[in-house]
Amino acid sequence: MQHLDLFKKSSGCIWHRKPTSSSDDGLLLTITRSNLRAFTPGGNRTIRFTQIAFDRTGQQFLASDQQGNLYQFSLAKNKFKLLLNTGNPCTALSFNLQRKNEVLLGLSDCILKCYDITTREVVCWMKGHDTAINSICIHSSGRYALTTSNRVAHLWDLETFSHQRTLNGAQKVGIMKACFIPSSSHILTCFKDDSIFVWDMENLQCQYQLPVPPSSNKPRYRSLATTSDGQFLIAGGKSRFLHLWTLESKRLIRIIQLPMCVKTVKLVAFLPDTLDISSSQTVGVLSQDGIMRFINIHNCNLLFEIGSQNNPIHQATISSHGRYALTLMGNGNINLYSIPSLSADVKKPPEPITKAVITKDKNSSAISIDHEKSVRYPDLHGIAPDSITKNIDWNGPQAIINKNTSNLNKESELAVANRSMVTHARQRISKNKDLYNRLDFKRLYKILKGFGEYPSKYRIFIWRSLLKLPENHECYSNLLEKGTHSAFLKLDEEYPIKSRKLLNNLQKTLSALAHWSPIFGEVHYLPLVIFPFVKLFSNNHLICFEVIVTIIVNWCQKWFEFFPNPPINILSCIENILGAHDSQLLDHFIRNKIKSQIYAWPLLETFFSEVLTKDEWLQLWDHILSNHPSFLLSLVVAYITHSRRALLHCNEKDDFKFYFHHRNAVNIKAIIDEGYRIHSTTPKNLHPKYKLQHFEPITSGQYPIYNKYPKFIVNYQANERERIRQEEMEYLKQRQIALELQKETEQKILEENAWRRNQQLLTEAEMQRRKMLKTEEEKLSNQKSRLQAMKRELVMKELQLLDAARRKVLHSDEVQKENEIKRLDEDINRISRQREEETRNALAEMELKALELRAQKEMFTQELAREQSKDNLQIRADFEAKKNQLDSKDYLADRERQKLNDNLNKRRKVNLERLAKTQQRAINVKNQYKLDYRNRMQDLEQEMQHLTLSHQAQLNKVEDDEVETIMKMIEKDSESIADQYQAELLKLRKPVQTENQHHHEEDREEEEITNLENVHHSIPSVEIIRKDFLKNRADSDIASEFNDIHDIEQRRKFEMQEIALLSDVNKLRSKIAASNQQF
């Protein structure tokens, strides 16, 4: 036993050396968590653990302490680590079976949380309980979780972490316990009034109620437990009785009375079998004294116990494979126990039934043997029942456990007696280790020959010793771990066995044989062969498997050489033996065309189980296992010859088949004797013992290789079966998809029909609502009309009263009141005509809009006419003003002319300014253009030769002279034009005598302004200037000069001429501007 302290440790190793269990109590490990405290006596204190839980594999467990720390312990990896701190103490703990990295924690704040132990983060948290959660149960599928508190149980979906169902207890009846029934969809609940109900998980409908035995003292159940296969249920409470039910038949089958020292049962838990986990025959019972006792539920034997009164157990859990027991002790520590070390005494061979009293004197020793027992079983030395004797007294369904100790009322003496018996049993392990080897085969054979069979009580043990079974636990476990073979998945359809447990055992054994050798997955008659052995060894699957393997290896030699056909060589050997001992019967078979496949093979493929009873079959196999493997063939011949009278009277093939497939009235002892006779008198050339090998036990550690069969046929059949299975799976998958599509289509059709019905109902409801609204509106209008009439009547009465009262008032007041009466009459009429006016409002509005548009149009036209009239008036006013100015005296005329001259001067100044700006802009552009041109010319001149440059200079000189003469002529013309303008201006200064002359002068002034503007706009164009010059110049000499210029332009480049002309025009314009400024 080793000790692990978690003080200031977050990870590390569990064991620092190979773990060994204690020889006294099987204790492997003790886990504590101390905390250093300065003010505590002793310097430290222990932090208590509150919850523990194993995972599905049983190789790791979780533990939480009162501070909310969660630890993970891995027994396979020999490591532990601190996962997280929840902040609150944990009241319930469980692993998520579907996702191995998730755990469910019920905390003291009534919240259920799911944590990821790899990332150490919260996956989800679920609320629903108002009191602390005391248990968490996970369904075998891993999808659902059931949490229970004192008053309510909640069902959760772990895939979506959503709440599914709630199971409430009555106001006075709370829930004590709730859990899932394994391998089913049912929930088992126990209420505080001791009622046990089974509910359907889908809809929480009650399926049935288990009966509780009537008694004056109520059991007051506190704990329930079911086996892994869901066959049995056991319950215990505040009494020393355990109640055992079978859930198949839903009845109470046993009441187990615990020792007197047990007053209250705190916990019950089934201990899984190491070879067959689904079958549990041992239950652990934790009582109020803190000791957990393990009891066999069938024979009510106390097997072993853990814990003590000094350090009691508060809570316990057992791993899924039944190898470890984890307990939470009273001091807050965790203890880990090894179940195999505690149960080693139980699984040992029985003690010998014959006891020898050894007395020693001074000279010699004498041995006294019980002659009464030796007379019947003279050679059975070393065969004994269970080491711990129990006295089982049955009274109806109740079984009472009484231990062979004195003073059962004292708990201390009971514990001492248990310890002494366990110690005594351990001391005998070494003595019984070679018990099989101590059995003498010759003595056993003498017993068999003398009594015709072995004792039924010890037959299984004798068979195990005869076959020398190695009990390869590990190898058999490996075969079981491979699961159900594909060839036997639908075994229940082919062999509908009533007992589910027997069917599971048969399926497991067949699967193990198929995994051991592939041929046994193809042998169709294999279930018929092994079924009697499976039924016989229903409580020990390992022994059953090894017995079948031994029989196949030795007694089924050469059976599969002609597979899939029957063993022709074996059948021909049987036919030869039959011909040697009963040729008449063989001739009868030949005449009726009855082959050995009809009269011999049915006996072999069932091992006589179809034609014999159980006792006859067991007696026959006692002789088969005690002789050479060929003795089985001799017994087949013996059975045929023993039935020769009945067979000789049969002539139909169906009669022969019926005879060898059904039980017949035969004497099994005569058949066995006949078999011995045939076996001993058969000639050597026909005897099968020279063709078959002698008995060889199967090897220890590993099972032998079995490949004596046509491998290509077996492989072909296996491949074909796999192909057919895959096709069937694909077909089922496609069929499922088609069904789902069909369901979806039907669902859509239903939804569409429902939608249509809803739409129809909605339309009908809408029509009804419209009708109702219409009727209501009519009623409302009627009520309004009535109300208006009533108001009118009231107003008239009021007016009449007012009129009568005010008649004494002055005439002015009467007139005023009459006006008010008229106004009220108008209001009444308006109210009465309101309904009619509402219908005409739309037309009236349209007419108003049309009138508004017309009015706007008229307004616009009026405004335009008004503006036009204003303009006309303005024009007339101006005309009259001008006329008055002309008709006025000279002072007014001079003043008017002065104004006209000033306006003309202003206009001319503006035009001249514009002209100057445009001239300056044109000059700048042309200068820039000239500069660019000169730059280009300079570049060209640099490239030209010196002779070309001199010639070009002469030509330029001639052209300059010509341009100079032209400019002089243009200057003379400009001076003449200026003189003309001056003369015109002098004429304008003269007084206007008539209105026509005045208008004529204004027209001439406007023409002059337009001429100036035209001149201004035509300045940039050289062609326009040239045309103006040609028009203004009347002389032919000037025209000839322009023609000469045109000739020069043809000879020279157009750019030079344009520059020269523009410069002359600019000079002329400057002169004109100067002359205008003088005036």
Side-chain angles (χ1 to χ4, degrees):
M1 187 270 291
Q2 301 185 36
H3 183 270
L4 175 62
D5 191 357
L6 302 180
F7 175 62
K8 291 184 178 180
K9 294 180 181 179
S10 59
S11 62
C13 296
I14 301 176
W15 292 291
H16 296 283
R17 62 180 182 274
K18 184 177 180 181
T20 56
S21 60
S22 175
S23 59
D24 296 332
D25 52 5
L27 183 60
L28 281 173
L29 179 66
T30 299
I31 303 173
T32 61
R33 186 171 185 266
S34 59
N35 188 15
L36 186 62
R37 296 290 294 272
F39 299 99
T40 303
N44 60 0
R45 71 180 183 91
T46 301
I47 298 176
R48 301 175 62 87
F49 288 97
T50 57
Q51 294 294 326
I52 50 178
F54 271 108
D55 68 342
R56 194 169 194 172
T57 61
Q59 295 297 324
Q60 65 176 351
F61 63 91
L62 296 176
S64 64
D65 59 13
Q66 59 187 9
Q67 293 182 350
N69 296 315
L70 185 65
Y71 290 89
Q72 180 185 13
F73 298 87
S74 178
L75 302 178
K77 297 180 181 180
N78 189 23
K79 292 182 180 180
F80 76 92
K81 61 180 177 180
L82 175 63
L83 294 178
L84 49 94
N85 187 292
T86 59
N88 294 318
C90 183
T91 60
L93 178 62
S94 178
F95 275 89
N96 190 342
L97 301 183
Q98 192 171 13
R99 292 179 288 274
K100 298 181 180 179
N101 59 335
E102 293 183 1
V103 293
L104 296 176
L105 301 179
L107 304 180
S108 58
D109 56 357
C110 309
I111 297 177
L112 178 65
K113 291 186 177 182
C114 179
Y115 284 92
D116 191 334
I117 60 177
T118 57
T119 60
R120 302 182 182 183
E121 295 179 354
V122 179
V123 179
C124 183
W125 56 295
M126 295 158 276
K127 289 185 178 180
H129 290 277
D130 53 358
T131 57
I133 301 171
N134 53 34
S135 67
I136 301 174
C137 183
I138 309 297
H139 193 259
S140 57
S141 64
R143 180 175 179 180
Y144 299 101
L146 186 66
T147 57
T148 309
S149 61
N150 292 331
R151 289 183 293 181
V152 69
H154 290 291
L155 180 65
W156 309 88
D157 189 348
L158 296 182
E159 288 186 356
T160 59
F161 295 104
S162 60
H163 182 266
Q164 297 294 319
R165 296 284 188 276
T166 300
L167 183 63
N168 293 312
Q171 295 181 355
K172 297 182 180 180
V173 182
I175 297 178
M176 180 60 66
K177 185 74 174 178
C179 62
F180 290 106
I181 298 178
S183 303
S184 68
S185 60
H186 292 164
I187 297 175
L188 182 70
T189 58
C190 176
F191 296 94
K192 292 183 180 179
D193 60 351
D194 296 334
S195 59
I196 300 175
F197 290 90
V198 177
W199 313 82
D200 188 11
M201 188 174 62
E202 298 296 332
N203 49 22
L204 285 186
Q205 292 184 356
C206 181
Q207 301 297 314
Y208 55 88
Q209 181 181 2
L210 293 177
V212 179
S215 176
S216 60
N217 296 325
K218 292 185 178 181
R220 290 181 289 178
Y221 298 124
R222 294 185 60 184
S223 180
L224 303 174
T226 59
T227 55
S228 301
D229 56 358
Q231 297 293 324
F232 297 99
L233 169 67
I234 194 166
K238 294 184 179 180
S239 66
R240 62 189 187 95
F241 294 96
L242 297 178
H243 295 170
L244 182 65
W245 290 271
T246 173
L247 298 179
E248 286 186 347
S249 59
K250 307 176 185 60
R251 63 186 182 89
L252 181 68
I253 60 173
R254 188 165 299 167
I255 299 176
I256 302 174
Q257 181 179 348
L258 299 174
M260 297 295 294
C261 59
V262 177
K263 303 299 182 182
T264 302
V265 176
K266 298 173 62 178
L267 176 69
V268 289
F270 277 99
L271 177 64
D273 193 354
T274 55
L275 297 180
D276 187 6
I277 298 175
S278 63
S279 63
S280 301
Q281 303 178 10
T282 306
V283 64
V285 182
L286 178 62
S287 57
Q288 87 288 345
D289 56 0
I291 299 175
M292 192 169 186
R293 299 170 176 86
F294 290 86
I295 302 169
N296 190 304
I297 61 175
H298 296 294
N299 54 22
C300 301
N301 289 337
L302 179 61
L303 304 180
F304 56 89
E305 58 186 27
I306 57 176
S308 63
Q309 294 181 356
N310 297 328
N311 191 11
I313 299 174
H314 280 189
Q315 186 179 350
T317 180
I318 300 173
S319 62
S320 58
H321 48 59
R323 296 178 184 175
Y324 302 108
L326 193 66
T327 60
L328 194 62
M329 310 306 293
N331 55 8
N333 298 339
I334 296 175
N335 286 354
L336 181 65
Y337 293 91
S338 174
I339 300 297
S341 62
L342 292 171
S343 61
D345 306 338
V346 181
K347 296 182 179 180
K348 70 181 188 321
E351 293 182 351
I353 196 171
T354 304
K355 302 287 185 176
V357 179
I358 302 175
T359 59
K360 293 184 179 180
D361 53 11
K362 297 180 180 180
N363 300 322
S364 62
S365 61
I367 299 174
S368 176
I369 301 174
D370 190 350
H371 294 284
E372 181 179 358
K373 294 181 180 179
S374 63
V375 168
R376 177 160 179 81
Y377 305 113
D379 298 324
L380 289 180
H381 181 74
I383 303 175
D386 194 359
S387 60
I388 302 176
T389 59
K390 302 285 188 304
N391 183 16
I392 304 171
D393 186 13
W394 291 94
N395 186 8
Q398 177 174 338
I400 302 176
I401 301 178
N402 294 323
K403 300 179 66 176
N404 292 331
T405 59
S406 61
N407 196 4
L408 295 175
N409 297 326
K410 296 181 179 180
E411 297 179 358
S412 60
E413 293 181 3
L414 177 64
V416 171
N418 290 337
R419 295 290 187 273
S420 62
M421 282 187 286
V422 172
T423 305
H424 181 65
R426 291 180 183 276
Q427 292 176 355
R428 290 201 303 269
I429 292 176
S430 59
K431 295 182 181 179
N432 296 329
K433 188 175 181 180
D434 299 331
L435 184 60
Y436 293 156
N437 297 328
R438 287 164 50 188
L439 293 177
D440 190 0
F441 176 72
K442 293 182 179 180
R443 291 183 177 181
L444 292 176
Y445 195 73
K446 288 180 181 179
I447 293 174
L448 181 63
K449 296 293 288 184
F451 296 97
E453 61 178 332
Y454 292 124
S456 59
K457 187 176 182 180
Y458 308 108
R459 175 177 282 114
I460 304 302
F461 181 74
I462 294 173
W463 283 15
R464 292 168 62 180
S465 61
L466 290 175
L467 299 178
K468 299 179 182 180
L469 303 180
E471 299 187 12
N472 299 326
H473 293 270
E474 185 177 358
C475 186
Y476 179 67
S477 299
N478 294 333
L479 293 175
L480 288 181
E481 289 177 357
K482 294 182 179 180
T484 304
H485 195 269
S486 60
F488 305 108
L489 291 174
K490 299 181 179 179
L491 185 66
D492 54 345
E493 298 178 2
E494 187 175 359
Y495 299 97
I497 302 174
K498 185 177 181 180
S499 175
R500 188 68 185 177
K501 179 180 178 182
L502 187 59
L503 179 62
N504 293 335
N505 296 341
L506 179 62
Q507 191 176 33
K508 288 181 181 179
T509 307
L510 289 170
S511 300
L513 289 172
H515 291 309
W516 172 53
S517 181
I519 189 173
F520 298 117
E522 309 298 329
V523 179
H524 63 88
Y525 56 85
L526 186 63
L528 301 176
V529 175
I530 71 170
F531 180 74
F533 298 98
V534 173
K535 193 173 183 180
L536 181 63
F537 298 96
S538 60
N539 295 326
N540 198 330
H541 300 166
L542 174 64
I543 301 303
C544 175
F545 176 76
E546 292 189 349
V547 167
I548 294 170
V549 170
T550 306
I551 291 173
I552 289 174
V553 172
N554 292 279
W555 279 269
C556 297
Q557 298 181 37
K558 301 183 180 181
W559 273 33
F560 307 104
E561 292 180 356
F562 296 93
F563 182 81
N565 298 317
I568 301 173
N569 48 357
I570 301 298
L571 297 178
S572 61
C573 183
I574 293 174
E575 188 174 355
N576 293 333
I577 298 172
L578 180 61
H581 292 279
D582 196 343
S583 58
Q584 182 182 359
L585 183 58
L586 180 62
D587 294 338
H588 178 70
F589 287 154
I590 294 172
R591 283 195 302 272
N592 291 282
K593 297 181 180 180
I594 304 301
K595 298 181 181 179
S596 57
Q597 286 88 341
I598 297 177
Y599 63 81
W601 181 237
L603 302 177
L604 289 177
E605 69 176 356
T606 59
F607 280 154
F608 294 94
S609 61
E610 282 188 346
V611 296
L612 298 178
T613 62
K614 179 180 178 181
D615 295 334
E616 293 173 348
W617 186 86
L618 292 173
Q619 184 177 357
L620 182 71
W621 272 95
D622 286 341
H623 292 271
I624 293 174
L625 298 178
S626 301
N627 288 278
H628 190 273
S630 61
F631 185 67
L632 177 63
L633 307 183
S634 300
L635 287 176
V636 172
V637 178
Y639 184 86
I640 297 171
T641 56
H642 181 75
S643 306
R644 67 188 309 276
R645 292 182 181 178
L647 294 173
L648 289 173
H649 287 84
C650 295
N651 295 319
E652 297 293 334
K653 189 175 183 179
D654 294 336
D655 296 340
F656 288 102
K657 289 182 178 180
F658 181 85
Y659 187 85
F660 288 104
H661 283 281
H662 292 80
R663 293 180 182 177
N664 302 294
V666 295
N667 188 354
I668 189 64
K669 293 184 178 179
I671 292 174
I672 294 172
D673 294 339
E674 181 67 15
Y676 278 110
R677 186 189 67 79
I678 293 173
H679 191 69
S680 60
T681 59
T682 301
K684 291 184 178 181
N685 58 345
L686 301 177
H687 206 290
K689 71 178 180 179
Y690 298 104
K691 300 179 182 179
L692 302 178
Q693 297 179 359
H694 292 278
F695 171 77
E696 291 184 2
I698 58 178
T699 57
S700 178
Q702 292 290 336
Y703 293 121
I705 298 174
Y706 193 82
N707 55 1
K708 299 176 182 179
Y709 58 87
K711 298 179 182 57
F712 66 93
I713 296 177
V714 175
N715 294 336
Y716 174 76
Q717 291 186 351
N719 294 333
E720 285 295 314
R721 181 180 287 107
E722 183 66 20
R723 182 184 62 80
I724 293 171
R725 190 178 69 83
Q726 292 293 338
E727 291 179 355
E728 185 178 358
M729 293 295 292
E730 185 66 24
Y731 167 73
L732 293 176
K733 185 178 179 181
Q734 296 296 331
R735 183 181 177 184
Q736 184 67 23
I737 293 172
L739 291 175
E740 291 178 357
L741 291 175
Q742 184 178 359
K743 289 181 180 179
E744 290 179 358
T745 305
E746 293 176 355
Q747 185 67 24
K748 288 181 179 179
I749 292 172
L750 293 175
E751 291 177 356
E752 186 177 358
N753 294 333
W755 180 80
R756 288 180 179 176
R757 287 195 298 271
N758 293 332
Q759 292 296 323
Q760 186 176 0
L761 293 173
L762 289 173
T763 53
E764 292 177 356
E766 184 178 1
M767 295 300 292
Q768 291 178 0
R769 297 296 186 278
R770 289 182 182 277
K771 291 179 181 179
M772 292 172 64
L773 288 173
K774 188 175 181 180
T775 54
E776 291 295 329
E777 287 178 355
E778 292 177 354
K779 290 180 181 179
L780 184 61
S781 62
N782 295 329
Q783 289 178 0
K784 285 183 177 180
S785 62
R786 292 175 185 174
L787 183 60
Q788 294 295 333
M790 292 174 66
K791 285 183 179 180
R792 189 181 297 108
E793 292 175 358
L794 291 173
V795 170
M796 292 300 292
K797 290 179 181 179
E798 185 178 0
L799 291 174
Q800 290 176 1
L801 293 173
L802 290 173
D803 185 44
R806 293 176 182 178
R807 285 177 182 178
K808 297 177 182 180
V809 187
L810 298 173
H811 182 69
S812 60
D813 294 334
E814 291 178 358
V815 173
Q816 185 178 0
K817 293 300 181 183
E818 287 177 358
N819 294 330
E820 289 179 359
I821 291 169
K822 290 179 181 179
R823 182 175 58 80
L824 291 174
D825 291 333
E826 291 177 357
D827 292 338
I828 293 169
N829 294 327
R830 180 178 57 80
I831 292 171
S832 63
R833 292 192 301 271
Q834 185 176 2
R835 290 292 180 181
E836 296 177 357
E837 290 178 357
E838 287 179 356
T839 57
R840 301 169 185 171
N841 285 335
L843 296 173
E845 289 178 358
M846 296 298 293
E847 291 176 357
L848 289 173
K849 287 182 180 179
L851 292 173
E852 286 178 358
L853 291 173
R854 292 175 184 174
Q856 289 178 0
K857 185 176 179 181
E858 291 177 356
M859 289 173 65
F860 290 152
T861 54
Q862 289 176 3
E863 287 179 359
L864 291 174
R866 191 181 297 113
E867 289 177 359
Q868 188 175 2
S869 63
K870 285 181 181 180
D871 294 338
N872 293 329
L873 291 173
Q874 185 67 30
I875 292 169
R876 289 177 182 177
D878 293 339
F879 178 76
E880 289 177 355
K882 289 179 182 180
K883 186 176 181 181
N884 292 327
Q885 288 175 1
L886 293 173
D887 294 336
S888 63
K889 294 179 180 182
D890 294 338
Y891 177 75
L892 294 175
D894 294 336
R895 188 178 178 181
E896 185 68 25
R897 282 194 297 273
Q898 186 65 33
K899 288 182 180 180
L900 292 173
N901 291 329
D902 292 338
N903 291 330
L904 182 62
N905 291 330
K906 288 180 181 179
R907 290 179 182 176
R908 287 178 180 177
K909 287 180 181 180
V910 172
N911 292 330
L912 291 173
E913 287 177 359
R914 291 179 180 174
L915 182 62
K917 289 180 181 179
T918 54
Q919 286 176 356
Q920 188 65 33
R921 188 164 55 250
I923 290 168
N924 294 332
V925 172
K926 296 302 177 180
N927 290 333
Q928 184 68 30
Y929 182 78
K930 184 177 181 180
L931 181 62
D932 294 339
Y933 178 76
R934 286 178 181 177
N935 291 330
R936 289 197 300 271
M937 292 302 295
Q938 288 177 2
D939 294 336
L940 294 172
E941 286 174 359
Q942 290 177 2
E943 295 177 358
M944 294 174 64
Q945 297 178 358
H946 295 284
L947 294 175
T948 306
L949 290 174
S950 62
H951 179 68
Q952 187 67 33
Q954 294 176 0
L955 293 175
N956 289 336
K957 187 176 180 181
V958 174
E959 290 177 357
D960 290 335
D961 295 336
E962 292 177 354
V963 170
E964 188 175 359
T965 55
I966 293 169
M967 291 305 295
K968 288 179 180 181
M969 295 174 67
I970 293 171
E971 187 176 358
K972 291 179 181 180
D973 293 335
S974 62
E975 289 178 356
S976 63
I977 292 170
D979 295 336
Q980 291 179 2
Y981 284 140
Q982 188 175 5
E984 291 177 356
L985 289 173
L986 291 173
K987 291 178 180 180
L988 291 173
R989 290 179 182 179
K990 293 179 180 181
V992 180
Q993 296 296 327
T994 60
E995 185 177 358
N996 294 328
Q997 291 179 354
H998 178 72
H999 289 292
H1000 180 71
E1001 288 175 355
E1002 287 180 353
D1003 294 334
R1004 288 185 64 185
E1005 288 177 357
E1006 289 177 358
E1007 287 177 359
E1008 290 175 356
I1009 292 169
T1010 54
N1011 291 329
L1012 290 173
E1013 289 178 355
N1014 293 328
V1015 171
H1016 169 69
H1017 289 296
S1018 62
I1019 286 171
S1021 178
V1022 178
E1023 297 293 334
I1024 294 172
I1025 294 170
R1026 187 182 297 165
K1027 291 179 180 179
D1028 292 336
F1029 284 173
L1030 292 173
K1031 290 179 180 179
N1032 294 326
R1033 291 172 62 182
D1035 297 333
S1036 61
D1037 293 333
I1038 297 172
S1040 63
E1041 289 176 358
F1042 272 100
N1043 291 326
D1044 295 334
I1045 292 170
H1046 183 70
D1047 295 333
I1048 293 169
E1049 286 176 352
Q1050 290 179 354
R1051 292 193 303 267
R1052 298 294 301 275
K1053 294 181 180 179
F1054 179 76
E1055 287 84 0
M1056 294 299 293
Q1057 181 183 4
E1058 186 177 1
I1059 293 170
L1061 292 174
L1062 286 173
S1063 62
D1064 295 335
V1065 171
N1066 290 331
K1067 290 178 181 180
L1068 178 60
R1069 288 177 177 173
S1070 62
K1071 289 180 181 180
I1072 293 170
S1075 63
N1076 291 329
Q1077 288 177 1
Q1078 290 178 0
F1079 292 100

